[in-house]
Structure formats: C-alpha cells, structure tokens
Amino acid sequence: MQLLTSVDPRRRALEALLPRTGGATAVDVDPPRGMERMEVRAALPGRSFAELIEELLTGQVQERAGLHVAATTARLEVGTRMLMTLRLGPLRIGVPCEVVEVREEPELVSFTYATLEDPPEQGLERFAITCGPDSDPVLTITAVSAPALWWTRRGSSVARRLQRRVTDRYLAALREPAAAVPRR
C-alpha cells in the first residue's frame, strides 16, 4: 500500500471529498431502494488469524487482488482515506473511499469503507475475519452498493460481474500466505 504524504495532491483531493453515506456503516440491514446487497464467505484453512489481521488492516488484501492502493495511514483506521485503482487493460478505474468502521475483538476483526465522490459503484463494503478457538478463520465480504456513474448504470449487469470478480480476487488473495502470492 502506498502511503499518501500530506503534500501529495491525491491526499488533498481525497480529504476534500465528503462521504455520501452520512456516516452509515450498516451493511447487515436490507439495502435502501436501488441498492443491492452481496455477501460472500470463505474459510481460510491453514491461515493464521494474526497474519490475516495484519493483511486485512494494512490494505494487502486489495493490493494482492491486483488493485493499487494509496492511503492516508499505513494501517487502516476510522477516517483513513484510500484511493484504490483497478486496471482493466488500458483503463484505470479509481475508487476513492473512507474507512468508516474498524472492529478488533478477540474472535473478529473487520473494517468497512464507504465510497466517496464519483466511484463506479456507490456504497459500503465490509471485510470481516472471524476465528473461533477451534475453527479455521473465515472471511466474509459484504457490500451494499448501486451503480453510480452513467456507464455503470447503463451496464449494471457488467458492473455487477466485475464487482463479483474483484471480490473473488480478494478471497483468492487471502487463501494463500502473502509470501506465496506473487505481486502483480
């Protein structure tokens, strides 16, 4: 993850954006009209809960899934602004967002981000890892979103497939330890 310094113009641009979610972090309730809820869950056998926490809260999940991540803090915390960039051939799609919730409990670690101004999909996404004393860690990704730009609204089925593909890449990124996954 690239750390955005205070003089980086991308950081100033991110800090100037206001979340449109009104601070809402609830991805577990029925989505508002026009938004869809997606949830995927996968066990991560053989993975250490401590290592997964570190990967989750330092943006490595997104990086290992093929996105470039620039953030205002090295470790995700409430208020961290991120710019995630997805490459699709010659296209670069930027997704500005802000971390709106972080939970660190003995058997649960999660963070939720809200998209900021002009992302392809407007909404919230939560990454949660749970691990009981006698069980493998489990990753749950929950998103509540709606197409936000003309081209994602017009091609909403394509946008949904792309969202699912990126989510699958997040899952794949955490199934193997960081050292075993080559950087893209």
Side-chain angles (χ1 to χ4, degrees), residues 19-159:
R20 292 183 183 170
T21 61
T25 60
V27 295
D28 297 321
V29 298
D30 289 334
R33 186 179 193 156
M35 299 188 95
E36 291 185 26
R37 184 173 189 278
M38 177 189 73
E39 182 171 291
V40 295
R41 183 177 300 217
L44 302 170
R47 294 300 319 272
S48 153
F49 188 50
E51 287 176 356
L52 289 167
I53 291 169
E54 190 62 22
E55 291 174 35
L56 186 72
L57 296 179
T58 58
Q60 291 179 52
V61 175
Q62 288 76 13
E63 287 272 345
R64 290 178 47 203
L67 283 78
H68 178 266
V69 179
T72 57
T73 61
R75 187 170 175 85
L76 301 180
E77 57 191 50
V78 172
T80 297
R81 298 284 174 110
M82 300 165 51
L83 177 61
M84 296 185 294
T85 306
L86 175 64
R87 288 179 56 174
L88 295 173
L91 298 175
R92 305 264 190 290
I93 301 171
V95 180
C97 54
E98 179 177 359
V99 176
V100 294
E101 179 183 58
V102 175
R103 292 176 61 189
E104 291 189 69
E105 299 170 6
E107 295 182 359
L108 165 73
V109 172
S110 70
F111 78 90
T112 304
Y113 66 75
T115 56
L116 297 173
E117 191 171 303
D118 296 329
E121 293 279 324
Q122 183 70 48
L124 299 163
E125 189 163 28
R126 177 190 296 146
F127 293 78
I129 298 176
T130 55
C131 188
D134 298 322
S135 64
D136 288 324
V138 174
L139 171 67
T140 305
I141 301 173
T142 309
V144 174
S145 62
L149 301 176
W150 70 267
W151 55 271
T152 53
R153 285 191 298 270
R154 177 168 251 179
S156 63
S157 64
V158 173

Side-chain angles (χ1 to χ4, degrees), residues 165-180:
R165 183 173 167 206
V166 171
T167 300
D168 289 344
R169 287 166 64 173
Y170 292 149
L171 293 170
L174 283 179
R175 283 194 173 110
E176 297 291 327

